[in-house]
């Protein structure tokens, strides 16, 4: 899951980014409204965390512009303004949720997870493909009742594939959702990570779950 964090206070931004990365999210930072709109147009984010007080504009204005550009990522507003009318305004112009500063990091995580789960109808945190299970809350991976340990990146990649089980997932889509801005798409990094996942998920099993579709991408299916 890839998140754009729009926050001008550097310390705050790197603190939130680090915390989110520990929870297996992929994070880009935009320090102002202009960069936020630019990044949101060239990348595909699942969620945008948007501070209201920005140096060049306000989060309200960025939120309006994002929706006008048909960017449909979830938007979570961070506000030091604790007034009801500001919250209402945020929700009216297309934000999905808001959180008042100062906030508890655990609360931010809970809001982020809740918004991202909204995309899925059943809200069950456990994704399943055949005998493979991935728990989005505990990050536990189990195949045939045995726990498998993955690195943060391997986890993000597997989660993305499982969220789109039975669909062809192209390398471009993978790079957009699992890697951040610093990713060099000319490398074969994705293939390397797919191979590592295969070694951990499929090796030793007769039924392979991760499939390559030549020229198209990858698919996870029974
Ligand atoms: Ca700010």
């Amino acid at each position: 899951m890839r998140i754009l964090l729009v926050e001008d206070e550097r310390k705050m931004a790197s603190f939130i980014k680090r915390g989110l990365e520990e929870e297996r999210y992929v994070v880009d930072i935009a320090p102002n409204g202009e960069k936020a709109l630019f990044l949101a147009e060239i990348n595909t984010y699942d969620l945008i965390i948007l501070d209201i007080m920005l140096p060049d504009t306000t989060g309200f204005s960025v939120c309006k512009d994002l929706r006008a550009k048909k960017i449909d990522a979830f938007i979570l507003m961070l506000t030091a303004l604790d007034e009801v009318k500001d919250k209402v305004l945020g929700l009216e112009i297309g934000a999905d949720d808001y959180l008042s500063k100062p906030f508890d990091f655990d609360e931010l995580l809970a809001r982020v997870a809740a918004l991202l789960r909204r995309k899925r109808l059943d809200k069950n945190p456990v994704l399943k493909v055949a005998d493979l299970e991935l728990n989005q809350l505990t990050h536990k991976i189990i195949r045939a009742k045995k726990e498998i340990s993955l690195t943060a990146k391997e986890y993000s990649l597997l989660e993305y594939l499982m969220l789109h089980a039975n669909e062809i997932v192209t390398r471009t889509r993978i790079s957009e959702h699992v890697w951040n801005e610093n990713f060099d798409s000319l490398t074969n990094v994705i293939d390397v990570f797919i191979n590592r996942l295969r070694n951990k998920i499929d090796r030793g099993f007769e039924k392979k779950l991760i499939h390559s579709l030549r020229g198209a991408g990858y698919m996870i299916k029974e």
Side-chain angles (χ1 to χ4, degrees):
M1 294 288 193
R2 187 168 174 186
I3 297 175
L4 175 62
L5 172 62
V6 188
E7 167 64 79
D8 56 312
E9 287 157 65
R10 269 201 185 183
K11 267 194 179 163
M12 177 71 125
S14 64
F15 167 75
I16 297 177
K17 180 181 195 312
R18 211 176 325 122
L20 289 171
E21 285 175 345
E22 280 169 9
E23 295 298 317
R24 313 289 195 260
Y25 296 109
V26 177
V27 183
D28 291 319
I29 293 178
N32 55 51
E34 191 187 351
K35 184 81 190 282
L37 289 168
F38 172 73
L39 288 177
E41 276 201 285
I42 59 168
N43 299 314
T44 311
Y45 294 100
D46 301 290
L47 174 78
I48 298 172
I49 299 176
L50 187 53
D51 187 31
I52 288 186
M53 303 298 234
L54 295 169
D56 56 340
T57 180
T58 67
F60 295 123
S61 160
V62 175
C63 181
K64 261 189 208 162
D65 290 347
L66 289 169
R67 292 309 189 215
K69 288 175 195 292
K70 305 279 177 237
I71 289 163
D72 65 353
F74 286 119
I75 296 177
L76 171 63
M77 300 272 239
L78 292 185
T79 168
L81 313 164
D82 200 15
E83 294 194 16
V84 174
K85 66 176 192 313
D86 293 314
K87 292 175 177 172
V88 171
L89 176 61
L91 297 176
E92 273 175 4
I93 59 175
D96 298 283
D97 199 2
Y98 56 82
L99 191 57
S100 304
K101 283 181 177 176
F103 54 81
D104 195 48
F105 191 72
D106 286 340
E107 181 165 13
L108 175 69
L109 279 183
R111 299 288 183 98
V112 165
L115 281 175
L116 292 172
R117 273 205 308 280
R118 261 201 221 169
K119 273 196 175 169
R120 297 176 46 237
L121 296 172
D122 58 4
K123 320 253 171 160
N124 184 340
V126 181
L127 307 176
K128 276 188 191 178
V129 174
D131 55 357
L132 176 66
E133 291 182 9
L134 178 150
N135 186 317
Q136 292 184 293
L137 291 183
T138 61
H139 304 140
K140 255 193 186 179
I141 317 283
I142 290 170
R143 179 148 192 204
K145 300 197 171 116
K146 271 200 189 129
E147 191 169 342
I148 295 171
S149 100
L150 297 182
T151 64
K153 207 51 155 183
E154 290 163 359
Y155 174 92
S156 301
L157 178 57
L158 182 64
E159 179 187 48
Y160 190 70
L161 291 172
M162 290 181 79
L163 282 168
H164 301 277
N166 305 309
E167 284 175 35
I168 297 174
V169 179
T170 62
R171 286 181 185 76
T172 307
R173 274 177 66 195
I174 292 173
S175 70
E176 283 171 347
H177 288 270
V178 182
W179 270 270
N180 69 12
E181 273 287 291
N182 306 321
F183 181 70
D184 178 357
S185 58
L186 299 176
T187 63
N188 65 345
V189 168
I190 292 175
D191 306 290
V192 170
F193 273 87
I194 290 278
N195 281 332
R196 286 199 208 164
L197 265 189
R198 283 205 165 109
N199 278 331
K200 293 188 176 179
I201 301 294
D202 276 340
R203 198 167 66 183
F205 288 92
E206 199 180 327
K207 188 188 259 178
K208 308 296 181 202
L209 303 178
I210 301 172
H211 303 267
S212 300
L213 299 125
R214 195 181 301 236
Y218 298 100
M219 185 190 288
I220 194 159
K221 62 170 181 164
E222 276 208 62

